[in-house]
Amino acid sequence: MGMKILVTGAKGMVGTALCHNLRNLRDGKNRTRPGIAVDEVLEYDLDSTPEQLRQYCAQADFVFHLAGVNRPENPEDFMKGNFGFSSDLLNQLKQAGNKAPVMLSSSIQATLAGRFGESEYGKSKRAGEELFFDYGAQNGIKVAVYRFPNLMGHSCPKYNSAVSTFCWAVANDQPFTVNDPTTQLDLLYIDDLVEGMFDLLEGREVHCRFEGAETVVDPAGQFCCVPVTYKVTLGKIVELLQKFKTQPQTLIMPKMPEGSFEKKLYSLYLTYLPKEAFKYPFKMNVDDRGSFTELVHTADCGQVSVNISKPGITKGQHWHNSKWELFIVVAGHGLIQERNITTGETVEFEVSGEEIEAVQMIPGWTHNIINLSETENLVTVMICNEIFDPNRPDTFFEKV
C-alpha cells in the first residue's frame, strides 16, 4: 500500500508544484523514485473545511505543511496565520493519534536579525518552528523544518517573488523597476525544492544549521535544507530575461548548461509568455530552388537550419576550410556528394526521410545535395558548428 500524503497550502506556488508531482508518482508517470509509493494526495487549502482537515489528519501517512501567510492586511495576522493554523494542524494530528512525520515550510527570514528577524513575519515563522520541534520531541515524531530562501517558480507577479514579477513584466512588455541591480538573492528553484521533498519522503533529507543568513550543511543540524541554490544579482536576472525576450528575433539561445541558473530561469520565463507569443515566425530565404531558414543560433555550438529543395534541384557546391556541417534529410529522397579538393577522392550517400541519417560535411571537401524526386520536396535539417558570418563566410564555390 502507498502513502496518503497531506499537503496544506495545496494551491500555493509550492503546494501546486508538489501536488502535481506527487500525483505523477501516484499514477506511475514518474518512475525515478521507486522507493516512494503514493496512494492518495490529500489537498488542503483556504477553500477546504475544518471537517476535511480533521479527516485528512486522521488518514495521513505524511504531512507537508506549506500553508502560511505572506501579506496579510494586518501585521498581527502573521501570527494567526503562520502560528495559529500550525497549532490547529498539530492538535488535529494528536487528537487522531496520528504519528505521521511532518514537514514544515519556514523561511530564512526566521533566522535573520534586524529588519527581518524582528518583523512580525519572522516572529511568526520562528514561533511555528519552535511549535513543531516541541511537537516532535514530546510525541516521538519525526519533524523536518525547512527554512527556505527566496523561491523561484510560477506564482502571481507583484506578490512575493521578485523573479516572478520580472519574468512576467519582461514577457508581457510591462514596466518594472530595479532599485539596486547589485542586490543579490539566494534562490531555490521550484523543481529542486520538489526533489528535496522527495528526498525527505525517502529518508534522505539534507540537514543543516544557520550562520547568519548562510545555510551550512551539517548532518547534526536541527534544520533541513535543499542545498541546490543560486546566488544571483537582480541585474543579472534582468539581463538574462532581456536576452530571452529577444531570442525569437536574434535566434540566439543563451548558454544554459545542465543544472545552471540560466536553464531554470528560462523555463520559468516561458511560463509567463502570453499565449499569442507561443508562436513566432522565421525569416525564410526563398528562391526558385526552394528555401533556407535559420532556426536556432547558439553562443558556442553554431546554428541549426532547415533547407527545402524543390524536385530536381542541386544545392551546395562549395567547401569550407574549418567549418563543418551535418546534413539530416527528414523528408524526400536525395543524394549527397562530396569531393576532397586536394586528393580528388569522392564519396556519395543516397538519403531519404524513410531512414533518417546524419551525413558529415567534412572541411576541405566540396559538397552538394541533390533532390532526386520529380514530385516531392527534399527537406534537410542542417547543423553547422558556427553562426554564419557574412564578413568571414569560410564558404568557397566549387562544383563536386
Side-chain angles (χ1 to χ4, degrees):
M1 288 291 293
M3 291 184 289
K4 293 185 178 181
I5 298 178
L6 169 58
V7 180
T8 72
K11 293 184 179 178
M13 179 185 79
V14 177
T16 297
L18 181 59
C19 288
H20 280 317
N21 284 282
L22 286 171
R23 287 192 292 270
N24 283 341
L25 290 174
R26 179 197 66 190
D27 299 340
K29 297 175 182 178
N30 180 355
R31 299 182 182 180
T32 65
R33 299 280 184 156
I36 303 175
V38 179
D39 181 57
E40 191 173 354
V41 182
L42 309 171
E43 301 180 39
Y44 181 89
D45 210 277
L46 291 175
D47 56 356
S48 303
T49 65
E51 176 59 22
Q52 283 177 309
L53 181 63
R54 187 189 67 78
Q55 292 176 0
Y56 293 165
C57 284
Q59 299 171 24
D61 299 302
F62 197 102
V63 180
F64 287 103
H65 182 36
L66 309 177
V69 176
N70 293 313
R71 290 191 174 186
E73 293 183 5
N74 301 309
E76 57 269 22
D77 288 339
F78 277 123
M79 192 62 73
K80 179 180 178 181
N82 290 330
F83 176 81
F85 178 69
S86 294
S87 181
D88 291 342
L89 173 68
L90 297 182
N91 285 335
Q92 291 281 8
L93 289 168
K94 282 192 286 188
Q95 288 177 17
N98 190 339
K99 291 186 175 294
V102 182
M103 171 270 178
L104 172 66
S105 171
S106 187
S107 168
I108 191 67
Q109 294 188 23
T111 311
L112 304 180
R115 182 164 65 99
F116 291 124
E118 298 304 317
S119 69
E120 293 303 317
Y121 179 73
K123 289 178 182 177
S124 68
K125 284 297 187 182
R126 189 188 295 272
E129 293 174 354
E130 293 171 354
L131 182 71
F132 269 69
F133 284 132
D134 289 345
Y135 170 78
Q138 293 169 10
N139 297 281
I141 292 172
K142 179 177 178 177
V143 167
V145 175
Y146 286 76
R147 283 180 172 174
F148 291 130
N150 296 287
L151 303 180
M152 51 181 285
H154 191 91
S155 62
C156 295
K158 298 183 179 181
Y159 184 54
N160 64 345
S161 170
V163 178
S164 291
T165 299
F166 292 152
C167 286
W168 167 81
V170 172
N172 292 274
D173 300 315
Q174 296 297 314
F176 62 93
T177 302
V178 180
N179 293 324
D180 182 0
T182 65
T183 298
Q184 183 173 265
L185 300 180
D186 189 15
L187 292 164
L188 171 60
Y189 183 53
I190 189 65
D191 285 7
D192 294 323
L193 189 158
V194 169
E195 290 300 317
M197 297 304 95
F198 288 175
D199 288 342
L200 174 61
L201 286 173
E202 291 181 336
R204 299 189 298 110
E205 68 274 13
V206 176
H207 286 265
C208 63
R209 68 178 192 277
F210 293 91
E211 296 179 359
E214 294 299 316
T215 304
V216 180
V217 173
D218 181 354
Q222 182 183 29
F223 293 89
C224 296
C225 66
V226 179
V228 186
T229 59
Y230 302 89
K231 294 185 183 297
V232 190
T233 64
L234 294 179
K236 180 65 175 179
I237 293 169
V238 171
E239 176 189 348
L240 286 168
L241 290 174
Q242 289 171 338
K243 287 182 180 179
F244 299 160
K245 174 73 171 181
T246 59
Q247 192 277 328
Q249 290 77 46
T250 66
L251 301 183
I252 293 180
M253 193 68 69
K255 290 184 179 180
M256 292 183 281
E258 183 63 31
S260 67
F261 172 77
E262 290 81 357
K263 182 178 180 181
K264 295 168 185 179
L265 182 65
Y266 188 67
S267 294
L268 180 59
Y269 165 77
L270 291 178
T271 69
Y272 287 94
L273 284 179
K275 290 189 289 293
E276 59 270 20
F278 285 13
K279 181 179 76 170
Y280 59 90
F282 289 108
K283 179 182 180 296
M284 295 179 65
N285 301 290
V286 181
D287 59 25
D288 56 4
R289 301 174 304 159
S291 66
F292 179 79
T293 307
E294 296 178 22
L295 304 178
V296 175
H297 291 176
T298 68
D300 57 353
C301 295
Q303 68 180 42
V304 180
S305 310
V306 62
N307 181 80
I308 299 176
S309 300
K310 292 181 179 180
I313 291 296
T314 299
K315 285 191 176 183
Q317 306 285 44
H318 59 237
W319 62 276
H320 316 290
N321 279 307
S322 296
K323 184 184 296 185
W324 56 261
E325 299 165 298
L326 279 177
F327 287 4
I328 305 168
V329 168
V330 296
H333 180 208
L335 180 69
I336 294 172
Q337 299 176 318
E338 300 184 60
R339 175 176 59 83
N340 187 306
I341 62 169
T342 302
T343 68
E345 183 180 1
T346 63
V347 66
E348 63 181 30
F349 305 93
E350 193 167 345
V351 288
S352 167
E354 297 297 317
E355 186 177 351
I356 297 177
E357 302 171 298
V359 181
Q360 297 269 14
M361 302 299 110
I362 309 298
W365 291 63
T366 189
H367 50 270
N368 64 26
I369 183 166
I370 305 167
N371 187 348
L372 297 178
S373 173
E374 297 180 357
T375 57
E376 296 181 351
N377 286 340
L378 181 68
V379 182
T380 309
V381 174
M382 296 181 173
I383 300 169
C384 183
N385 69 317
E386 61 185 47
I387 298 171
F388 180 75
D389 180 355
N391 296 316
R392 297 181 61 86
D394 188 12
T395 301
F396 309 98
F397 175 79
E398 186 167 336
K399 288 186 178 181
V400 176

